[in-house]
């Protein structure tokens, strides 16, 4: 598809609570290929545990790493998008489907992944600098972060940290929410996929806002369970993201 064709794609107008339907469809896809879904979730949980282990005594770094982790998660779910597409088409869906998309080393997906990784790294550094410079005492443990940053009523550090994180996360969400599934599904450029993704958000602000809140909430629950919850959260959100894309933009042909 060329840029003109992408710009002319009709974006469907959705009901405010349509994201609940995406979660329901995701549960169906998980039942159809549980080993792939829970395998992705287990890998994400192990990666999160590794981050916790490496930054256990430097919680200022852990806070940034975990929130930066959210920025790159969509590119890690490309295998789940491919599996949902195969199920949709009535094809056999399994690890071979995932390995096929990984082995392709699609330069568009690799490039987008690097951009997301750069955004995540930038946020980690910004978060670390903000907490290190502004906290009244060194923040080294989760308890330090809670007392010195979150519950410190003499400072606006936590509010500033949240606002800054949201300022970065919002455009990343708008740029990637349907762009990455679109890159898996169609031969379009990264720029055109990002443009289409922004259109879906701007034309459906309420349902996409609901979806952003659900993604954040479920991810925090997964992380708050010492990462174990990600085993279930990752496949659910990954498959649901595919159905979000499919509901918002019409299939080719």
């Amino acid at each position: 598809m060329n840029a003109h064709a992408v710009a002319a794609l009709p974006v469907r107008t959705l009901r405010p609570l349509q994201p609940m339907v995406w979660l329901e469809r995701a549960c169906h896809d998980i039942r159809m290929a549980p080993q792939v879904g829970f395998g992705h979730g287990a890998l994400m949980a192990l990666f999160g545990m590794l981050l916790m282990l490496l930054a256990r005594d430097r919680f200022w770094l852990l806070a940034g790493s975990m929130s930066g982790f959210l920025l790159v998660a969509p590119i890690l779910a490309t295998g789940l998008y491919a599996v949902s597409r195969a199920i949709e088409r009535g094809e056999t869906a399994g690890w071979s489907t995932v390995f096929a998309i990984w082995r392709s080393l699609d330069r568009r997906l690799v490039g987008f992944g690097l951009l997301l990784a750069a955004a995540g790294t930038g946020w980690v550094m910004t978060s670390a600098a903000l907490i290190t410079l502004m906290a009244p005492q060194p923040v080294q443990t989760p308890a330090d972060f809670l007392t010195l940053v979150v519950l410190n009523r003499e400072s606006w550090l936590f509010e500033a940290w949240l606002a800054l994180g949201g300022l970065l996360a919002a455009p990343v969400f708008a740029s990637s929410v349907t762009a990455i599934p679109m890159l898996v599904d169609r031969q379009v450029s990264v720029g055109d996929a990002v443009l289409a993704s922004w259109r879906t958000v701007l034309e459906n602000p309420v349902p996409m806002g609901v979806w952003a809140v659900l993604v954040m909430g479920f991810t925090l629950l997964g992380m708050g369970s010492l990462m174990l919850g990600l085993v279930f959260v990752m496949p659910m959100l990954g498959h649901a993201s595919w159905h979000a894309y499919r509901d918002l933009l019409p299939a080719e042909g």
Side-chain angles (χ1 to χ4, degrees):
M1 300 181 70
N2 56 37
H4 177 73
V6 172
L9 279 175
V11 175
R12 294 190 180 103
T13 301
L14 306 182
R15 294 176 291 115
L17 295 182
Q18 187 67 14
M20 305 306 296
V21 177
W22 304 338
L23 295 175
E24 181 182 354
R25 293 173 183 167
C27 291
H28 169 266
D29 290 353
I30 293 173
R31 290 195 298 270
M32 295 295 292
Q35 71 283 6
V36 174
F38 294 131
H40 275 75
L43 289 174
M44 293 288 278
L46 288 173
F47 181 69
M49 291 176 184
L50 179 61
L51 282 179
M52 289 181 63
L53 181 64
L54 293 176
R56 64 185 183 277
D57 296 326
R58 295 177 293 277
F59 194 72
W60 52 268
L61 178 58
L62 181 62
S65 298
M66 289 304 176
S67 46
F69 174 70
L70 296 176
L71 300 181
V72 300
I75 201 70
L76 303 177
T78 51
L80 296 175
Y81 306 151
V83 167
S84 285
R85 182 177 62 173
I87 293 172
E88 177 185 286
R89 294 176 174 177
E91 301 170 354
T92 301
W95 281 109
S96 59
T97 310
V98 177
F99 294 146
I101 197 73
W102 287 353
R103 282 197 303 267
S104 69
L105 291 177
D106 190 317
R107 287 183 295 178
R108 300 169 306 149
L109 289 170
V110 172
F112 206 153
L114 291 174
L115 289 175
L116 291 177
T121 301
W123 167 243
V124 170
M125 296 175 65
T126 302
S127 172
L130 182 67
I131 295 175
T132 301
L133 295 174
M134 305 272 309
Q137 298 177 36
V139 176
Q140 297 179 329
T141 67
D144 290 340
F145 185 78
L146 184 64
T147 57
L148 298 174
V149 179
V150 179
L151 300 178
N152 186 357
R153 294 300 89 195
E154 298 180 0
S155 167
W156 291 89
L157 176 56
F158 183 59
E159 289 78 3
W161 184 76
L162 286 178
L164 192 59
L167 190 63
L168 174 62
V172 172
F173 173 81
S175 299
S176 61
V177 62
T178 60
I180 301 176
M182 191 176 195
L183 291 173
V184 171
D185 190 42
R186 311 176 192 232
Q187 288 300 315
V188 298
S189 69
V190 170
D192 291 338
V194 169
L195 173 63
S197 187
W198 271 90
R199 286 184 58 216
T200 63
V201 173
L202 293 175
E203 295 185 28
N204 289 275
V206 175
M208 297 311 285
V210 171
W211 180 231
V213 170
L214 287 172
V215 170
M216 179 64 70
F218 278 115
T219 304
L220 290 176
L221 284 175
M223 290 181 171
S225 59
L226 297 178
M227 304 298 169
L228 295 177
L230 290 178
V231 174
F232 306 96
V233 168
M234 173 66 177
M236 181 177 63
L237 294 182
H239 287 304
S241 294
W242 170 263
H243 292 291
Y245 156 71
R246 195 48 104 207
D247 264 5
L248 286 159
L249 295 168
E252 288 184 288

